[in-house]
């Protein structure tokens, strides 16, 4: 019997790490954002840890509003980024986020398949439907309705996959003797006609070693979950608790079953934001220094959560239970990760941490946070994974310069010794790393617009 092991990915798209002041951390070169010798070193470190994939977020937009004090936190250009890192690594996969709303499927099909080919089958497309006003504004648009964004997303995925298969899987014979370059009729137009996107095709790029890129979906909300259930091999999630993660995963699995797929075909990974130190105290001090510029903004917010006014003068104070009282019910209409803040703030205050240490432990972080030793990080991961709510994690490393090495050299061996993570890649392609099924062209079990293509019909009929 093979024991199930976790899938691990890591975000590598933003400035110097995922924490706000990472660009000012000791030893960090503040211009490394565009220094590809450094980015390559980070990708290679993740590969040394046998991580299955790197995740590249992309709006494109500048999420941080205060451009004067914080660097951009998105990927410079996701396709170029992926291509450069692909040529400097051998095994690790790449998940490139790209909008289905503001890109033409032909361009996406071309770029993604090129990288899939040159990386020997390690590319994935995180197909996102662009719900952010800033992204829309960059393309001179308003945010479109959910119906239109997700209608276009479904068609775009099916068209991109149709174009990928318009160069038949066995088409490329390139026989120099006979002069036959491709088999007759096996590179053929797709003549795709949707409500939102059209293309004649064909695309002129042969299959990669995994056939075609893997489909990923990252999102929160019913539309995103339905898209993931219908098309994705991997869903990259955001969940503040094991219960929330389990509920997201179950929703995606239900949508997969409704679309006619085996729910096990979609893996679900949740975010995790560790800060590792030789001792808990050192880890807390590290994390506190990485959020220092946010403290004036967070203190009043923490005060609201705990029902006690807080200022910078309170930073090193331990609050007494009589000051903050009982946990107040979070707003049930708020997203889960916002609701989780009060619960976490209250729990940390009750444990007797100072105000600074409460804030250092990720009360306002987007993802579940563990600040402590490598063993504490591994314990968190083990608890989540063994609950059955997730198939793994995508890691949001605090400062890339030393945080990736710390995770790879200290946490990964613990996970491996506990049998929770593989010791080496099982194959060479991302599809193999994720245990995703073989697929070339659209998945006709779930397709809504794509029609079986001549090139595939032709191949199906071949003896
Ligand atoms: C973990 C996670 C990662 C995401 N990454 C991106 C991204 O890189 N680019 C993007 O445009 N949207 C990204 N999103 C946004 C979602 O794709 C989606 O648009 C959002 O959840 C809003 O949902 P809606 O489209 O139903 O309004 C991400 C969402 C989550 C939860």
């Amino acid at each position: 019997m093979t024991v199930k092991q976790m899938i691990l990915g890591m975000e590598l798209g933003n400035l110097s790490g995922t924490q706000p002041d990472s660009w000012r951390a000791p030893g960090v070169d503040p211009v490394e954002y565009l220094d590809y010798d450094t980015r390559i070193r980070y990708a290679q470190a993740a590969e040394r840890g046998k991580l299955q994939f790197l995740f590249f977020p992309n709006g494109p937009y500048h999420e941080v509003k205060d451009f004067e004090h914080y660097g951009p936190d998105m990927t410079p250009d996701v396709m170029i980024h992926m291509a450069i890192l692909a040529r400097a690594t051998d095994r690790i996969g790449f998940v490139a986020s790209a909008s289905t709303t503001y890109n033409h499927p032909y361009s996406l099909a071309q770029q993604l398949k090129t990288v899939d080919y040159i990386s020997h089958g390690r590319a994935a497309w995180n197909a996102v439907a662009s719900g952010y006003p800033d992204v829309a504004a960059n393309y001179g648009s308003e945010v479109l309705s959910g119906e239109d964004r997700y209608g276009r997303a479904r068609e775009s995925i099916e068209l991109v996959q149709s174009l990928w298969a318009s160069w038949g899987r066995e088409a490329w014979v390139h026989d120099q003797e006979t002069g036959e370059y491709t088999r007759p009729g096996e590179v053929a137009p797709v003549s795709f006609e949707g409500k939102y996107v059209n293309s004649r095709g064909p695309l002129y790029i042969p299959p990669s070693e995994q056939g075609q890129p893997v489909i990923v979906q990252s999102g929160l909300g019913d539309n995103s979950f339905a898209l993931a259930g219908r098309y994705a091999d991997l869903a990259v999630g955001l969940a503040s608790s094991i219960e929330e993660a389990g509920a997201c995963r179950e929703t995606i699995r239900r949508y997969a079953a409704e679309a006619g797929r085996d729910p096990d075909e979609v893996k679900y990974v949740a975010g995790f934001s560790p800060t590792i130190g030789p001792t808990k105290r050192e880890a807390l001090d590290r994390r506190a220094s990485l959020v220092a510029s946010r403290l004036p903004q967070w203190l009043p917010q923490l005060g609201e959560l705990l029902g006690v006014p807080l200022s910078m003068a309170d930073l090193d104070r331990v609050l007494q239970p009589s000051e903050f009282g009982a946990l107040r019910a979070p707003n049930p209409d708020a997203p889960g990760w916002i609701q989780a803040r009060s619960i976490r703030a209250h729990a940390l205050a009750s444990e007797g941490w100072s105000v600074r240490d409460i804030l250092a432990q990720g009360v306002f972080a987007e993802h579940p946070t563990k600040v402590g030793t490598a063993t504490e990080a591994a314990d968190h991961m083990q608890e989540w994974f063994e609950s059955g709510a997730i198939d793994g994690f995508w890691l949001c490393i605090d400062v890339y310069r030393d945080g990736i090495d710390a995770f790879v050299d200290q946490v990964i061996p613990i996970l491996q010794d506990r049998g929770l993570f593989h010791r080496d890649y099982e194959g060479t392609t991302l599809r193999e790393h994720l245990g995703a099924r073989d697929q070339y062209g659209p998945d006709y079990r779930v397709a809504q617009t794509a029609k079986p293509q001549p090139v595939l019909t032709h191949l199906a009929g071949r003896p």
Side-chain angles (χ1 to χ4, degrees):
M1 189 187 85
T2 44
V3 181
K4 192 180 163 193
Q5 293 184 315
M6 59 176 78
I7 293 169
L8 288 185
M10 185 186 92
E11 178 165 331
L12 182 61
N14 44 11
L15 192 62
S16 309
T18 60
Q19 289 309 296
D21 296 335
S22 57
W23 69 276
R24 298 168 67 191
V28 167
D29 177 354
V31 302
E32 69 167 54
Y33 174 56
L34 284 167
D35 175 354
Y36 271 82
D37 293 333
T38 305
R39 305 318 262 188
I40 285 169
R41 182 170 80 69
Y42 296 158
Q44 290 173 340
E47 186 169 70
R48 178 163 50 81
K50 314 297 178 193
L51 268 58
Q52 279 90 346
F53 68 92
L54 295 174
F55 178 78
F56 307 140
N58 179 37
Y61 73 113
H62 187 47
E63 189 175 13
V64 176
K65 298 289 176 246
D66 183 358
F67 215 154
E68 292 175 9
H69 297 100
Y70 299 100
D73 54 2
M74 288 276 168
T75 317
D77 178 283
V78 77
M79 299 296 173
I80 294 172
H81 191 74
M82 181 162 62
I84 293 174
L85 299 182
R87 296 305 299 163
T89 51
D90 294 318
R91 285 288 179 274
I92 197 161
F94 308 101
V95 176
S97 307
S99 172
T100 53
T101 310
Y102 299 112
N103 290 296
H104 194 279
Y106 195 91
S107 307
L108 287 172
Q110 182 186 30
Q111 292 168 327
L112 288 158
K113 203 168 181 210
T114 301
V115 180
D116 204 34
Y117 190 85
I118 66 171
S119 67
H120 302 287
R122 293 183 286 138
W125 172 28
N126 178 24
V128 286
S130 296
Y132 301 130
D134 286 353
V135 179
N138 285 343
Y139 291 97
S141 164
E142 303 280 315
V143 176
L144 306 179
S145 71
E147 187 185 331
D148 284 340
R149 286 189 292 118
Y150 283 90
R152 186 179 159 113
R154 289 191 294 274
E155 286 186 9
S156 294
I157 293 172
E158 293 182 18
L159 173 49
V160 165
Q161 293 180 325
S162 299
L163 287 164
W164 285 339
S166 67
W167 181 297
R169 204 161 195 176
E170 312 295 334
W172 203 16
V173 286
H174 48 74
D175 187 329
Q176 291 175 312
E177 283 294 310
T178 64
E180 188 182 39
Y181 194 70
T182 60
R183 288 205 170 98
E186 291 193 14
V187 178
V190 298
S191 303
F192 188 102
E193 286 180 30
K195 179 176 168 199
Y196 299 94
V197 289
N198 299 314
S199 178
R200 190 201 64 189
L203 188 72
Y204 43 84
I205 305 169
S208 73
E209 278 147 55
Q210 64 173 354
Q212 65 189 20
V214 167
I215 299 293
V216 175
Q217 219 288 317
S218 69
L220 275 182
D222 218 45
N223 281 327
S224 291
F225 293 151
L227 196 68
R230 181 169 291 275
Y231 301 105
D233 297 304
L234 175 71
V236 173
L238 188 163
S240 53
S241 65
I242 291 175
E243 294 68 35
E244 194 186 352
C248 293
R249 182 169 182 263
E250 270 320 303
T251 307
I252 293 169
R253 287 172 63 83
R254 179 169 52 76
Y255 276 120
E258 280 173 17
R261 300 174 71 195
D262 175 351
D264 287 342
E265 289 175 29
V266 201
K267 307 293 190 300
Y268 178 84
V269 294
F272 177 46
S273 170
T275 284
I276 295 156
T279 63
K280 180 131 189 136
R281 185 67 262 154
E282 284 162 282
L284 283 167
D285 291 344
R286 173 181 167 104
R287 187 76 169 221
S289 75
L290 295 172
V291 296
S293 69
R294 293 285 168 96
L295 296 179
Q297 177 197 336
W298 286 349
L299 275 162
Q301 293 176 24
L302 180 66
E304 289 228 341
L305 294 180
L306 293 173
V308 43
L310 293 175
S311 71
M312 290 297 273
D314 297 306
L315 266 182
D316 293 310
R317 219 157 63 73
V318 174
L319 302 173
Q320 298 310 307
S322 55
E323 285 180 275
F324 57 87
L327 173 66
R328 291 183 299 175
N331 175 2
D333 296 331
W337 57 281
I338 300 261
Q339 293 187 38
R341 287 176 172 176
S342 326
I343 299 168
R344 181 138 176 82
H346 201 273
L348 290 165
S350 304
E351 287 170 21
W353 296 103
S354 71
V355 170
R356 189 194 307 272
D357 288 345
I358 292 174
L359 290 170
Q361 292 183 73
V363 171
F364 293 108
E366 206 173 13
H367 296 287
T369 298
K370 181 57 75 179
V371 180
T373 61
T375 305
E376 285 179 84
D379 290 346
H380 169 101
M381 296 172 79
Q382 179 163 9
E383 186 192 352
W384 276 58
F385 183 63
E386 289 186 342
S387 76
I390 57 168
D391 297 295
F393 298 90
W394 60 292
L395 306 165
C396 299
I397 297 292
D398 54 2
V399 183
Y400 295 142
R401 191 187 73 83
D402 54 355
I404 302 173
D405 289 336
F407 191 91
V408 164
D409 296 332
Q410 297 173 43
V411 183
I412 293 283
I414 300 174
L415 298 174
Q416 288 170 331
D417 288 348
R418 294 181 186 179
L420 297 167
F421 189 58
H422 66 181
R423 290 189 184 275
D424 203 353
Y425 293 104
E426 290 75 21
T428 59
T429 68
L430 179 56
R431 212 167 271 284
E432 288 170 314
H433 302 343
L434 298 176
R437 66 192 274 277
D438 183 54
Q439 186 180 337
Y440 198 63
D443 180 349
Y444 291 111
R445 296 172 303 170
V446 306
Q448 295 183 315
T449 309
K451 308 276 183 309
Q453 288 164 245
V455 60
L456 297 176
T457 315
H458 174 79
L459 282 178
R462 207 166 60 200

